[in-house]
Amino acid sequence: MTAGQANPGTRAWRDPVATTPYGAVRGRYESGVAVFRGIPYAAPPFGPRRFRPPVPPEPWDGVRDAGAFGPTAPKPPYSEAFAQYLSDPVVAGDDCLNLNVWTPEPGPGARLPVVVWFHGGALTRGSSAVPVYDGRHFARDGVVFVSVNYRLGVEGYGVFPGVPANAGLRDQLAALRWVHDSVEAFGGDPSQVTLAGQSAGAISVGALIAAPQAQGLFRRAVLQSGPPEAFERDKVRRMVRRMASRLKIPATAEAFAAVDRDLLLRTQAEIGRLSSPVLGGPAFGIVIDGDVVPRHPLEALVDGHAARDTELLLGWTRDEYRLWLVPGGLLERVDRLGAVALAGAMARCRCGSEVPRGYRALRPGAGTAETVGQMVTDHLLRLPLQRLAEARPGSSYVYEFAWPSLRPGLGACHALELGFVFDTGDLPDSAKLAGDGAPQDLADAMHGAWVRFATTGDPGWEPWDATHPVRVFGEVDGISHTEYGLRDRELALWSADTRRAAEGIEDTGESEMLAPPAAPDTLPVRPLRGTELRAVVRRLRRAGGVGRD
């Protein structure tokens, strides 16, 4: 046994101690694994460091206690409609650039594989303290698991004159460098690092593996329900300017830094409440900055040299859109709008009438909301992820999570797979999405695949090739593995031009203002005018209390 360990069968455990470049930390033994929480990887990003790139933390003397989660980044709470499905604890304090480590064998020499986890939450919510993200089962199965807090919303992704963009992404890069320099002391192998994330976390992973500064700091990557993407700078600037207008201040970092933090969060929530993956709207996101993100991450990964030897695990849930539409009753409202909602989806996806017509032909019993939801999911997720897999045949593995939640209306929605990946389905926070009684054998299969991928680069099924193998988790009509399945038929509906638009053209935030192309039979005879379409989308958002994970 290494220093700090004791026989798990005795009570005479000594707390595990590990040494980082900035000082020693003392963790705890829990369920037979060592856990270190709240370790700072950068200095508190406030005062003169606010809105600036991260800097190393101040070294400390003695042994720092790492028994509790550190402060979470400033963030607004979820709306009441979403809070019934998603947990988002808050830990007060300024020292929010911290991370946590679960390890079966603290101390150098073990050389175990490492997973670094970046949480979701639309880059405005979430944290490493979400109970579903407990890493004990990864450690139980021989993986050192690291979860990271990073700046969110305007603090992390605001675009200001004279200030480097993407502060939150730079935080993640700093955490990744910390892992490279420190994880061996926790039993990890810095040459066997897998980056993993879901939703906004997956978007972050896509940007990191494409970033020049991150090359050599990872070996594998998992992108769950989030593609490599970047917003136009003007879209994020508009979000900042709207906040500035509401606050009656200049749109500068100095002016924003002078605003009371709670007021800033409330204003961000008010401006962002009309944002939704399905409906578009104002949002924060990663932007091309000429430095960490020198070009669009998807393009850098598809036709550039970034991460050429990286093994990829890519996937989505069957009904992503249901988490975006079910809370607040937006699903029913979209169904009632019918043809007008289809026109809005065509504008959002920049496609012609043949696309919704094809979706309806493939799903003759589907309502408008299902058609719209699947169209937008393919536009946002499946098209770019499939394009990435096509660029990396032989080293990309693709999955779909298809088990439907036991909670009414959610289906196999966005974020539902997380309790299965972490094998934390027994927690009340997982049951908020999955319901009570989620199948343990499905968690065993999915968690086991992630552990195998982090350990060997092979999750247990065929890599992507010309036959398009997709591992389906959760049997649907008795099918657990499919080739050329329903998703291929749906994606084939998109023309080459439409695919390029869906994958490569940035969303400027004004897609709801575009008049749609020629309409299918079920749409109005004349295309909707931009002002009409914008009014419909705004009405939908307000009615549904929309938000996104």
Side-chain angles (χ1 to χ4, degrees):
M1 291 187 179
T2 58
Q5 287 187 299
N7 188 330
T10 74
R11 289 181 175 273
W13 285 22
R14 287 183 295 159
D15 289 337
V17 175
T19 301
T20 79
Y22 307 105
V25 290
R26 176 180 289 109
R28 303 289 188 274
Y29 278 105
E30 299 174 6
S31 303
V33 301
V35 187
F36 301 80
R37 295 183 174 92
I39 304 173
Y41 65 84
F46 297 103
R49 293 184 289 269
R50 197 160 181 199
F51 301 111
R52 303 288 171 173
V55 298
E58 288 291 328
W60 57 87
D61 297 324
V63 180
R64 182 184 181 119
D65 186 70
F69 285 115
T72 53
K75 57 188 174 178
Y78 280 115
S79 68
E80 184 178 344
F82 279 84
Q84 64 177 308
Y85 298 111
L86 302 171
S87 297
D88 197 9
V90 173
V91 181
D94 285 353
D95 205 357
C96 61
L97 300 186
N98 59 71
L99 50 76
N100 319 294
V101 182
W102 284 259
T103 175
E105 195 170 340
R111 307 292 290 184
L112 298 172
V114 180
V115 169
V116 180
W117 176 255
F118 298 107
H119 65 80
L123 300 178
T124 57
R125 295 178 174 88
S127 78
S128 65
V130 172
V132 177
Y133 305 152
D134 191 302
R136 68 185 186 276
H137 291 130
F138 279 96
R140 173 200 65 190
D141 295 331
V143 175
V144 176
F145 187 86
V146 182
S147 59
V148 178
N149 282 340
Y150 55 94
R151 277 175 284 182
L152 303 169
V154 71
E155 301 278 0
Y157 296 92
V159 173
F160 298 100
V163 177
N166 298 317
L169 187 68
R170 294 170 190 269
D171 294 343
Q172 295 169 348
L173 181 59
L176 187 54
R177 288 174 175 148
W178 183 97
V179 169
H180 185 267
D181 295 339
S182 307
V183 78
E184 192 170 357
F186 295 83
D189 182 350
S191 69
Q192 295 289 331
V193 172
T194 297
L195 305 189
Q198 184 267 347
S199 191
I203 293 169
S204 300
V205 169
L208 285 169
I209 63 175
Q213 295 91 330
Q215 303 308 300
L217 299 180
F218 57 88
R219 179 165 179 176
R220 304 180 179 104
V222 183
L223 280 72
Q224 299 175 214
S225 300
E229 71 174 22
F231 285 2
E232 288 281 4
R233 293 177 72 94
D234 282 347
K235 177 175 181 174
V236 180
R237 282 196 190 101
R238 276 195 294 273
M239 184 73 172
V240 171
R241 288 167 182 163
R242 290 174 185 178
M243 290 182 64
S245 177
R246 184 74 61 91
L247 293 165
K248 297 181 172 55
I249 61 173
T252 65
E254 293 76 15
F256 271 65
V259 176
D260 174 78
R261 200 180 304 174
D262 289 338
L263 175 59
L264 199 62
L265 287 176
R266 289 196 301 273
T267 305
Q268 177 183 302
E270 290 168 3
I271 298 298
R273 70 187 176 86
L274 301 183
S275 175
S276 164
V278 175
L279 303 173
F284 287 109
I286 294 167
V287 299
I288 296 172
D289 59 16
D291 179 18
V292 178
V293 188
R295 60 182 301 205
H296 193 286
L298 182 61
E299 300 304 325
L301 293 169
V302 168
D303 61 19
H305 296 288
R308 293 309 302 177
D309 298 324
T310 301
E311 295 146 331
L312 301 175
L313 178 57
L314 313 169
W316 50 76
T317 71
R318 186 190 60 189
D319 306 312
E320 299 272 6
Y321 67 95
R322 287 186 170 268
L323 184 63
W324 305 327
L325 294 183
V326 168
L330 195 56
L331 195 77
E332 293 77 11
R333 290 178 174 88
V334 172
D335 271 335
R336 287 199 297 270
L337 277 170
V340 176
L342 283 173
M346 290 162 59
R348 177 85 170 101
C349 299
R350 306 177 184 89
C351 67
S353 60
E354 70 280 357
V355 175
R357 185 181 294 120
Y359 277 76
R360 285 190 154 179
L362 288 174
R363 298 171 175 268
T368 299
E370 181 176 352
T371 301
V372 167
Q374 292 291 3
M375 281 176 57
V376 174
T377 298
D378 286 350
H379 165 73
L380 292 175
L381 296 177
R382 297 190 187 103
L383 283 168
L385 287 176
Q386 178 170 316
R387 184 179 172 203
L388 182 54
E390 292 281 5
R392 307 294 178 92
S395 61
S396 299
Y397 298 84
V398 180
Y399 74 89
E400 176 172 298
F401 182 82
W403 180 81
S405 171
L406 300 174
R407 297 203 61 181
L410 289 179
C413 69
H414 191 67
L416 179 60
E417 85 281 17
L418 289 169
F420 297 88
V421 169
F422 282 83
D423 193 12
T424 51
D426 58 333
L427 299 179
D429 299 87
S430 290
K432 290 174 74 171
L433 265 185
D436 295 322
Q440 181 60 45
D441 59 343
L442 181 56
D444 293 340
M446 204 162 192
H447 174 74
W450 266 239
V451 170
R452 284 192 298 274
F453 181 75
T455 303
T456 69
D458 182 351
W461 64 91
E462 298 89 339
W464 190 263
D465 59 20
T467 67
H468 296 184
V470 176
R471 173 67 164 94
V472 178
F473 288 96
E475 292 193 355
V476 179
D477 299 328
I479 300 172
S480 60
H481 183 277
T482 181
E483 295 178 357
Y484 292 107
L486 179 63
R487 292 294 171 247
D488 276 357
R489 299 199 301 273
E490 289 174 331
L491 295 178
L493 297 171
W494 300 76
S495 69
D497 289 342
T498 302
R499 287 173 66 96
R500 280 194 291 271
E503 296 160 358
I505 296 179
E506 314 303 340
D507 182 357
T508 64
E510 304 300 333
S511 59
E512 65 266 29
M513 298 177 63
L514 302 176
D521 297 338
T522 55
L523 291 179
V525 174
R526 65 170 177 82
L528 292 176
R529 296 187 182 93
T531 52
E532 295 171 318
L533 192 54
R534 179 171 56 182
V536 168
V537 172
R538 286 178 172 170
R539 190 165 71 246
L540 269 172
R541 293 182 188 141
R542 292 192 178 101
V546 298
R548 65 183 290 181
D549 175 45

